Amino acid sequence: MSIEEFDYVVVGGGSGGCVVASRLSEDSSTSVCMLEAGGPDKSVFIHAPIGVVAMLPIPFNNYAYKTVPQKGLNGRQGYQPRGKTLGGSSSINAMVYVRGNKWDYDHWASLGNPGWSYDEILPYFKRAENNETFRDDPFHGTGGPLNAAEVRNPSALNRVFLEACAMKGVPNTRDYNGAEQFGSFMFQVTQKNGERHSVAKGYITPHLSRFNLSVRTHALTSRILFEGKRAVGVAYTVDGVEKQVRARREVILTAGAFGSPQLLMLSGVGPAAELQKLGIPVVHDLPGVGENLQDHIDHVQSYRTSSKHETFGVSARGGARVASAMPEWKKSRTGLVTSNFAESGAFIRSSPDVKVPDLQMVFVIALVDDHSRKLHVGHGYSCHIEVLRPYSRGHVKLASRDPRAAPLIDPKFLDDERDLNLLVKGVQLQMDILEAKPFDTYRGKMLYKVDRNDTRAIAEDIRNRADTQYHPVGTCKMGPASDRMSVVDEQLRVHGLLGLRVVDASIMPTVVGGNTNAPTVMIAEKAVDMIRGVQAEASASASIGASAVKPAAVVA
């Protein structure tokens, strides 16, 4: 069996893993190996922003998971896309750059996680960022690896949406990632020069020539290797051949809200009784692994419009527009192909007494129906409304001992009635905006018509059609050891074990009020400082082992 050794082994090449591997390998005396189950991020569907359509429920750079049947969704199975390529979900997502609300991080700190208040994490958002719009700004950074830009060629319909929001008491906010989140806006996007700027593109691609960084793609990690209570490496397979890679210092899990708890449980770390049922030897009984799953429940309303308007659609005119836009994008990286579809949005409050926005709107310049699994001839526009801080809590469990098998994902959407009640309010507020005067000359028939004042009908429509907004978190919850359901401490070290951390969205104790890619990058930036701090302490006490092997960089 092939066995190699590095200082750090990073499992997962997504938003967390790319940051950790890149930053740690900045030190030429430190060797890093990063393993990614998917392939390289070479597809045009990744680099062309319009290629976000690849997030459809097909296994193309995408795990394309399904949930177990959801009682709150009338027994339907939900869709759970996750990136399976270098860059992870940042290589297939809609590219919107959202950090969440200040309140979210102060709340994390109040739950017993010192160092995670907003004032303490803001420097890491800034370190990561190169913001093309907000320069010399106290809330933003320049010169960081991850590019944040404006949508290059937005549809004129976005102005209509912003006007309608203002008419209904939702003012335009200059920077929803700054001092005030409440309001409507054009999204900032992780693009650069008209291309997707994934976390892989920002953090890994420029540094593949580093002699101390080895990036392995098509490498499926099957288990963590332990000696007693210390993680010492991982086993992985490439082309059906099992290999091992050892970690002198730490194993760092960055496989996401589904992958990280799955790998922990496959390795014998998790709820002991459940592991024993599958015949998995228990290394450490940790009941919180896979629990605390949270996701933004989301409902979409769509309206037909004429093909003459600036929307995407299934029509001769629409097809011709896209076809003619491709040469422009290839030549100058401008035009229709730079659209992420979700070009504008709003953070709103369900009532005047709510201090922190509890609902998010995402305006899309296309007909959206069941994550585009249901296509319609013609053109239109759509708007998502989502509950930002759901009360419902689900879990991720193992389906089998086979690491290739999809985990059992149960978000328990709408199990808590408060989520349904809030989403009904959100739908009503969204309809007020979409039915406002600025849309009068554009608005055609509603795809799924419902009476704005019939709350029972709205609730049933939600149960029939609502689904994820693609933001699963929380399954390796950060919290103090006194919290029996926490998995990692405030340093992201797995409770009760040595040499093992989790650095991804799974550590969020509560889901943030917004999209989760930028917060995951922040978490990873902060984790690197924590890891370096441990390294510095260890070096001072002369406990670091022999000098690192210096393998050549590889992208399989």
Side-chain angles (χ1 to χ4, degrees), residues 13-15 36 38-65 79-96 190 196-200 339-341 469-470 517:
S15 295
E36 165 55 39
D41 55 334
K42 295 180 178 179
S43 170
V44 69
F45 286 101
I46 292 175
H47 301 305
I50 199 177
V52 70
V53 296
M55 196 166 61
L56 295 176
I58 53 175
F60 176 71
N61 294 330
N62 183 359
Y63 285 97
Y65 289 138
Y79 172 49
Q80 293 282 335
R82 293 287 91 191
K84 189 179 182 181
T85 184
L86 201 61
S89 295
S90 78
S91 290
I92 68 169
N93 67 6
M95 294 159 278
V96 295
T190 49
R196 175 190 294 274
H197 202 250
S198 69
V199 182
S339 176
N340 67 330
F341 294 92
Q469 183 56 276
Y470 320 117
N517 185 55

Side-chain angles (χ1 to χ4, degrees), residues 362-381:
V362 179
F363 186 70
V364 180
I365 55 171
L367 284 174
V368 176
D369 189 4
D370 196 16
H371 298 273
S372 296
R373 285 179 284 196
K374 297 177 182 176
L375 297 177
H376 299 268
V377 174
H379 286 246
Y381 53 87

Side-chain angles (χ1 to χ4, degrees), residues 25 51 98 106 132 143 193 252 275 326 366 392 449 525 537:
S25 62
V98 179
D106 290 341
E132 294 183 5
N193 298 327
I252 303 166
L275 300 182
M326 289 302 297
S392 301
K449 188 171 179 58
E525 285 277 12
E537 292 169 6

Side-chain angles (χ1 to χ4, degrees), residues 130-386:
N130 181 56
N131 198 297
E132 294 183 5
T133 301
F134 300 101
R135 309 186 79 82
D136 299 320
D137 184 287
F139 293 98
H140 291 281
T142 55
L146 189 63
N147 208 67
E150 303 290 328
V151 177
R152 280 200 162 189
N153 298 93
S155 166
L157 269 177
N158 292 289
R159 292 195 299 271
V160 177
F161 172 73
L162 298 178
E163 289 171 12
C165 284
M167 184 174 289
K168 294 300 177 178
V170 182
N172 183 254
T173 181
R174 178 175 177 270
D175 178 17
Y176 57 87
N177 286 319
E180 179 55 71
Q181 187 187 49
F182 173 69
S184 60
F185 44 78
M186 294 297 297
F187 275 115
Q188 300 168 40
V189 291
T190 49
Q191 294 183 13
K192 186 175 183 179
N193 298 327
E195 291 189 10
R196 175 190 294 274
H197 202 250
S198 69
V199 182
K201 223 175 212 182
Y203 281 87
I204 287 293
T205 304
H207 307 302
L208 288 173
S209 61
R210 286 178 181 166
F211 65 87
N212 60 330
L213 172 63
S214 181
V215 177
R216 313 281 173 83
T217 56
H218 301 294
L220 175 65
T221 302
S222 55
R223 68 188 186 280
I224 304 163
L225 306 173
F226 288 96
E227 291 180 358
K229 295 287 186 177
R230 173 173 286 278
V232 296
V234 303
Y236 70 100
T237 57
V238 176
D239 295 329
V241 178
E242 183 173 281
K243 302 181 179 183
Q244 290 186 5
V245 59
R246 309 277 287 190
R248 277 185 289 269
R249 294 175 180 168
E250 291 188 18
V251 174
I252 303 166
L253 299 189
T254 59
F258 303 143
S260 286
Q262 181 184 26
L263 185 56
L264 284 171
M265 289 186 282
L266 288 170
S267 307
V269 179
E274 292 187 24
L275 300 182
Q276 289 165 346
K277 287 179 184 177
L278 290 172
I280 298 174
V282 177
V283 172
H284 184 54
D285 181 16
L286 202 56
V289 174
E291 298 297 322
N292 193 49
L293 174 61
Q294 299 158 59
D295 195 358
H296 289 143
I297 184 65
D298 171 270
H299 190 56
V300 182
Q301 293 175 299
S302 302
Y303 293 79
R304 292 188 177 277
T305 193
S306 168
S307 64
K308 68 181 181 181
H309 300 307
E310 296 179 27
T311 59
F312 291 92
V314 180
S315 71
R317 184 196 294 264
R321 286 182 68 222
V322 172
S324 63
M326 289 302 297
E328 178 185 351
W329 183 77
K330 289 179 179 179
K331 180 181 179 181
S332 60
R333 293 300 193 261
T334 58
L336 196 66
V337 177
T338 63
S339 176
N340 67 330
F341 294 92
E343 296 180 348
S344 58
F347 286 103
I348 64 176
R349 304 183 182 107
S350 59
S351 62
D353 60 319
V354 172
K355 294 182 179 179
V356 177
D358 53 354
L359 295 162
Q360 181 178 3
M361 298 176 68
V362 179
F363 186 70
V364 180
I365 55 171
L367 284 174
V368 176
D369 189 4
D370 196 16
H371 298 273
S372 296
R373 285 179 284 196
K374 297 177 182 176
L375 297 177
H376 299 268
V377 174
H379 286 246
Y381 53 87
S382 308
C383 203
H384 297 250
I385 185 78
E386 70 189 71

